[in-house]
Amino acid sequence: MKALVINCTLKRSPDPSNTDALARVVVDRLEKDGVPVEVLRAVDLDIEPGVTSEPVREGDAWPAVHAKLLDAEILVMASPTWLGRPSSVAQRVLERMDAMLSETDDQGRPVAYNRVAGVVVTGNEDGAHHVISEISGALADIGYTIPGQAWTYWHLGPGPGPDYLDEERGRDWSHRTGRAMAANLAGVARALAARPLGAPPG
């Protein structure tokens, strides 16, 4: 079993990322549970806009990301909040994932079936539940299973304020919730591996 974390921060590496810092709590718990994790920072990759799994042009990094999605049973989407919404990077990733709606495996199942997904959100404004709902809803549409409490967030809202990396308030709750999220993702992924969903009825 493998997990993939796609960090949709607007900050390129090696700039510090609040979203990465909170996502690492989930990563640490998954790894403690025996799940190897790969973390991608999407803004570092040349992901073209589009709604296809195929390369949009030469050098498009999306096909390699798509292959990693198909190699992982657990997906964690991590996004900051901007203007109360997921980042533009998260939206681009989800738009490219839209192509998975029409992709099936050799048993006729949508390729996202029997995979689980969760969401990590940070921001110094409110809107975390809206961001979680938007991303979770999109991933469920694509075919991912979203376990109960498969999210964590850190927000100080309402209004602007210090960032996660600059503020200790709320971290204990966010970390507890992140560890629970990781345990739920791993548990449901293992349950689906033991009793996988079949192809939808025709």
Side-chain angles (χ1 to χ4, degrees):
M1 183 170 296
K2 299 178 183 177
L4 177 68
V5 176
I6 302 181
N7 178 6
C8 297
T9 178
L10 303 184
K11 298 172 182 173
R12 294 185 182 275
S13 298
D15 289 350
S17 163
N18 296 288
T19 307
D20 180 72
L22 182 54
R24 293 287 170 179
V25 174
V26 180
V27 169
D28 290 347
R29 176 62 203 193
L30 284 169
E31 291 180 337
K32 186 176 180 180
D33 204 14
V35 180
V37 184
E38 181 175 3
V39 179
L40 299 180
R41 194 178 292 203
V43 75
D44 289 340
L45 307 174
D46 187 9
I47 298 173
E48 289 290 314
V51 289
T52 175
S53 296
E54 303 303 317
V56 172
R57 64 168 179 79
E58 187 176 354
D60 183 5
W62 183 255
V65 178
H66 177 259
K68 292 178 185 294
L69 287 167
L70 298 185
D71 194 43
E73 291 79 18
I74 298 171
L75 170 64
V76 174
M77 286 277 292
S79 175
T81 303
W82 292 110
L83 300 173
R85 302 181 60 82
S87 74
S88 57
V89 176
Q91 185 62 30
R92 179 167 295 195
V93 168
L94 290 170
E95 286 168 352
R96 291 304 295 265
M97 290 179 70
D98 180 82
M100 294 169 67
L101 283 163
S102 59
E103 297 171 9
T104 55
D105 65 14
D106 55 8
Q107 297 183 48
R109 298 173 299 195
V111 292
Y113 270 34
N114 300 308
R115 305 178 195 278
V116 301
V119 185
V120 172
V121 179
T122 58
N124 59 12
E125 55 182 292
D126 55 4
H129 283 282
H130 177 75
V131 174
I132 291 164
S133 295
E134 285 213 359
I135 296 176
S136 296
L139 294 172
D141 280 351
I142 292 165
Y144 282 88
T145 295
I146 312 297
Q149 209 273 279
W151 47 262
T152 190
Y153 68 89
W154 183 91
H155 269 207
L156 280 187
D163 292 329
Y164 170 84
L165 287 171
D166 303 321
E167 177 61 66
E168 294 291 333
R169 283 181 297 160
R171 282 199 192 184
D172 287 347
W173 180 88
S174 297
H175 291 185
R176 285 197 308 273
T177 309
R179 291 189 292 270
M181 165 188 174
N184 292 346
L185 287 169
V188 174
R190 290 188 172 111
L192 286 169
R195 298 193 65 179
L197 298 170

